[in-house]
């Protein structure tokens, strides 16, 4: 069990993160994620498959529309799967009650009743990036060239979309080993002795 429903005696809140309210940090994360997306698109265009392959003269308009439809539906499914991956690792870490939602900016999975230890919370935060990063990489190896960019857009969304998860992981790595985290989905509260 990597979580508890009661805060141990002597623990106090040390850090509070709410990216909905901390507009400055959220803006920095979004700018960084956008810059990373651009870099990844440029890298793929020059190192793997030119983006013009997405609009190949061999492709009909109907096929191009199909590619964009698959991308749109796939990305919506990915967002749900991303949050379910967080939730699955929360459950494996001993979470009792979880909740899901969408704030208008972010989809989330969280728990208002569980405190996760440092290792469990790092696993919870990074699980979607790692799991879906592997899935999309395998797909990129095997998809035909005309589908490369559809899958690559998903991979870039996975990487850039994990900016908040990576930010929180970087914060918790600098915290004491006894830190406990409550992640409500919108806010993260860090407690230590």
């Amino acid at each position: 069990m990597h979580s508890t429903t009661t805060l141990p005696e002597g623990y106090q809140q040390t850090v509070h993160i709410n990216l909905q309210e901390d507009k400055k940090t959220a803006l920095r994360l979004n700018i960084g994620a956008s810059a990373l997306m651009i870099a990844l698109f440029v890298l793929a265009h020059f190192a793997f498959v030119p983006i013009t392959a997405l609009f190949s003269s061999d492709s009909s308009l109907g096929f191009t529309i199909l590619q964009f439809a698959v991308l749109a539906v796939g990305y919506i499914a990915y967002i749900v799967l991303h949050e379910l991956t967080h939730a699955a690792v929360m459950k494996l870490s001993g979470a009792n009650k979880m909740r899901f939602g969408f704030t208008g900016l972010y989809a989330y999975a969280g728990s208002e009743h569980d405190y996760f230890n440092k290792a469990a919370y790092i696993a919870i935060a990074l699980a979607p990036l790692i799991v879906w990063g592997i899935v999309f990489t395998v797909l990129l190896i095997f998809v035909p060239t005309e589908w490369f960019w559809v899958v690559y857009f998903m991979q870039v969304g996975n990487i850039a979309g994990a900016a908040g998860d990576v930010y929180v992981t970087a914060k918790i790595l600098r915290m004491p080993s006894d830190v406990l985290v409550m992640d409500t989905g919108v806010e993260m509260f860090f407690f230590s002795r």
Side-chain angles (χ1 to χ4, degrees):
M1 204 59 95
H2 303 289
S3 72
T4 180
T5 55
T6 56
L7 199 58
E9 193 172 317
Y11 269 66
Q12 296 179 3
Q13 182 180 319
T14 56
V15 177
H16 171 237
I17 297 173
N18 183 334
L19 295 176
Q20 292 279 101
E21 291 178 1
D22 185 354
K23 305 286 187 207
K24 189 176 180 180
T25 301
L27 179 62
R28 284 197 312 252
L29 286 173
N30 287 325
I31 289 170
S34 297
L36 178 60
M37 288 174 75
I38 291 167
L40 291 170
F41 287 134
V42 169
L43 171 70
H45 174 73
F46 289 107
F48 303 117
V49 176
I51 197 162
T52 52
L54 189 58
F55 307 103
S56 168
S57 60
D58 297 340
S59 298
S60 68
L61 178 60
F63 184 71
T64 302
I65 291 170
L66 173 65
Q67 288 173 306
F68 282 99
V70 168
L71 178 60
V73 170
Y75 200 74
I76 291 167
Y78 161 74
I79 291 169
V80 172
L81 292 169
H82 178 106
E83 296 310 324
L84 287 173
T85 304
H86 281 309
V89 179
M90 281 182 185
K91 194 69 173 164
L92 288 171
S93 298
N96 295 299
K97 264 187 172 176
M98 289 175 290
R99 65 186 204 140
F100 300 89
F102 183 70
T103 66
L105 291 175
Y106 304 104
Y108 65 84
S111 172
E112 296 178 343
H113 306 283
D114 297 288
Y115 300 92
F116 300 97
N117 70 22
K118 188 174 188 173
Y121 194 69
I122 290 169
I124 291 164
L126 296 180
L129 175 63
I130 294 166
V131 168
W132 294 105
I134 292 168
V135 169
F136 293 135
T137 299
V138 169
L139 287 173
L140 285 168
I141 292 167
F142 294 106
V143 294
T145 303
E146 60 268 14
W147 288 99
F148 174 87
W149 279 96
V150 173
V151 176
Y152 194 73
F153 272 102
M154 302 281 292
Q155 178 73 294
V156 170
N158 176 52
I159 294 167
D165 297 329
V166 172
Y167 169 76
V168 171
T169 299
K171 291 283 255 188
I172 197 172
L173 283 171
R174 294 190 298 260
M175 294 181 184
S177 60
D178 70 346
V179 70
L180 294 174
V181 184
M182 176 188 282
D183 183 344
T184 67
V186 178
E187 300 177 276
M188 284 135 280
F189 301 91
F190 298 82
F191 301 88
S192 195
R193 283 189 183 87

